[in-house]
Amino acid sequence: MSGGRIKDIANIQKLGHVEFRTTDLERARTFYVDLIGLHETARDENRIYLRCTEDKQHHTFVLRKADSGGVGGIGFRVASEDDLERMKARFEELGLPVRWVGNEILGQGRTLRVQDPLGFNIDYYAKIATVPWLVQQYHLHRGVSPTRIDHVNVLTPDAQAGYEWYTKELGFGCAEYTESEPPEPRIWASWLFRKATVHDIAVMTGAGPAAHHVGFSLPEPMGIIKACDMLAGAGYADSIERGPARHGISNALFVYVRDPDGNRFELYTGDYLTGDTSAEPIRWSLNNPVRQTFWGAPPPRRWFEESMAVETFDGSAMQPTKPPLLQPVPNYVLD
């Protein structure tokens, strides 16, 4: 027996990395490195390992050659190797698929992979190779120089269950949440954190399991405008899906972009510090449009209806999705 919930026996520190599948590894590298400004750390036959300017770890974003776009997996850092052993026992106690990942991931130490109750493949690891800090290596900065991978947003049919898994079992704090309308309100989405920002992961209502986007933090607001100019100048104007605008939730300035494989990411700046996982979260009503857009154009319907497929536990296929329990598109979204 593990002796308790994950939050009582292990210390999850922060989002570690996200892996995007790509049909053309070199095209994806050109897009993310030469245009957006991520930094290549290493590569092997099937993967390119990238990081942002503030990162001291080997990778926080991975591109992997595959036959379609989508998300290969999500990783979280934990405090110690002993945490992994206790987590493995707890996941097995809960009846979840779990296994140790071999050494196929460069720079990353022993990795515990679990398929969580929401259907996502989550990697937990304590050790990862250290690399040079690039914050003051200004001559190496390109594009809009993202500072860190900030968060991942996922879709699940039951976002209430997702909220309870992350807060009650894993010990995440909730900065903000969206609730459906009475008479039986349920959590429609939640913004959940371990590091001291608004979220490491957001769990949102939708057909799932699926991934919605990965968020990269930028150093200053004009970076959002510069990103749009650079994307348009490089012929990717149509890849700008939503924004620039400011969210009500998180207060962040943002733009959402689709990469050449259709994978979605967000460039994001101006959110706030949290840090206290016991603090009272901010509540939003589902059909309050300010939560999505404090100012700027409203989200297009496809922003809610289109997502990234995620892999099965053995990586041999993409997972089928189940329909959401609540309405997936708020009333204020127009056709």
Side-chain angles (χ1 to χ4, degrees), residues 143-144 218-230 244 253 255 269:
V144 291
L218 298 188
E220 46 86 23
M222 279 305 297
I224 302 294
I225 303 302
K226 182 180 178 181
C228 294
D229 284 340
M230 295 186 71
L253 289 166
V255 63
T269 190

Side-chain angles (χ1 to χ4, degrees), residues 252-289:
L253 289 166
F254 68 86
V255 63
Y256 289 90
V257 182
R258 306 293 282 270
D259 75 10
D261 287 285
N263 298 321
R264 180 187 287 117
F265 65 96
E266 178 186 23
L267 299 173
Y268 171 100
T269 190
D271 64 341
Y272 57 88
L273 292 177
T274 52
D276 181 359
T277 58
S278 66
E280 187 71 19
I282 299 169
R283 179 195 177 276
W284 295 84
S285 172
L286 172 59
N287 289 311
N288 178 358

Side-chain angles (χ1 to χ4, degrees), residues 147-191:
T147 55
R148 66 176 185 270
I149 188 170
D150 185 78
H151 61 268
V152 60
N153 182 302
V154 300
L155 297 166
T156 183
D158 188 351
Q160 177 81 46
Y163 165 83
E164 291 172 359
W165 169 253
Y166 273 95
T167 58
K168 294 181 180 180
E169 178 67 41
L170 300 183
F172 280 62
C174 179
E176 309 192 31
Y177 68 97
T178 297
E179 196 169 50
S180 63
E181 307 300 333
E184 295 184 7
R186 288 177 62 86
I187 288 179
W188 188 90
S190 55
W191 284 256

Side-chain angles (χ1 to χ4, degrees), residues 284-315:
W284 295 84
S285 172
L286 172 59
N287 289 311
N288 178 358
V290 176
R291 71 179 192 87
Q292 284 283 336
T293 313
F294 187 65
W295 59 259
R301 180 169 288 270
R302 69 176 180 272
W303 191 85
F304 294 94
E305 295 180 335
E306 296 179 7
S307 61
M308 295 180 283
V310 298
E311 292 181 353
T312 56
F313 188 61
D314 64 5

Side-chain angles (χ1 to χ4, degrees), residues 52-317:
C52 302
T53 57
E54 290 183 359
D55 293 328
K56 296 179 181 179
Q57 65 190 72
H58 184 270
H59 57 268
T60 53
F61 186 61
V62 181
L63 300 169
R64 195 185 94 229
K65 183 74 169 62
D67 59 6
S68 65
V71 170
I74 298 166
F76 286 95
R77 292 283 303 278
V78 301
S80 74
E81 291 283 312
D82 290 341
D83 286 342
L84 299 177
E85 295 290 348
R86 291 188 290 267
M87 294 173 82
K88 181 175 184 291
R90 174 60 175 166
F91 291 143
E92 290 175 337
E93 179 183 323
L94 295 171
L96 298 173
V98 62
R99 66 182 175 89
W100 294 109
V101 176
N103 59 2
E104 70 263 26
I105 305 176
L106 293 182
Q108 194 167 295
R110 192 171 61 143
T111 298
L112 181 67
R113 179 167 298 169
V114 63
Q115 186 175 74
D116 72 12
L118 311 182
F120 295 97
N121 298 327
I122 308 293
D123 286 352
Y124 293 99
Y125 51 95
K127 294 182 179 179
I128 188 167
T130 300
V131 292
W133 194 53
L134 298 174
V135 167
Q136 294 181 334
Q137 299 296 307
Y138 293 105
H139 61 294
L140 300 179
H141 294 190
R142 296 180 180 178
V144 291
S145 298
T147 55
R148 66 176 185 270
I149 188 170
D150 185 78
H151 61 268
V152 60
N153 182 302
V154 300
L155 297 166
T156 183
D158 188 351
Q160 177 81 46
Y163 165 83
E164 291 172 359
W165 169 253
Y166 273 95
T167 58
K168 294 181 180 180
E169 178 67 41
L170 300 183
F172 280 62
C174 179
E176 309 192 31
Y177 68 97
T178 297
E179 196 169 50
S180 63
E181 307 300 333
E184 295 184 7
R186 288 177 62 86
I187 288 179
W188 188 90
S190 55
W191 284 256
L192 307 164
F193 66 91
R194 289 297 297 176
K195 69 180 186 310
T197 63
V198 174
H199 55 328
D200 290 272
I201 188 167
V203 180
M204 192 163 70
T205 294
H212 189 270
H213 69 267
V214 171
F216 296 101
S217 180
L218 298 188
E220 46 86 23
M222 279 305 297
I224 302 294
I225 303 302
K226 182 180 178 181
C228 294
D229 284 340
M230 295 186 71
L231 286 160
Y236 288 104
D238 290 342
S239 296
I240 301 171
E241 181 182 42
R242 180 183 171 200
R246 186 184 291 277
H247 283 307
I249 294 171
S250 82
N251 191 53
L253 289 166
F254 68 86
V255 63
Y256 289 90
V257 182
R258 306 293 282 270
D259 75 10
D261 287 285
N263 298 321
R264 180 187 287 117
F265 65 96
E266 178 186 23
L267 299 173
Y268 171 100
T269 190
D271 64 341
Y272 57 88
L273 292 177
T274 52
D276 181 359
T277 58
S278 66
E280 187 71 19
I282 299 169
R283 179 195 177 276
W284 295 84
S285 172
L286 172 59
N287 289 311
N288 178 358
V290 176
R291 71 179 192 87
Q292 284 283 336
T293 313
F294 187 65
W295 59 259
R301 180 169 288 270
R302 69 176 180 272
W303 191 85
F304 294 94
E305 295 180 335
E306 296 179 7
S307 61
M308 295 180 283
V310 298
E311 292 181 353
T312 56
F313 188 61
D314 64 5
S316 65

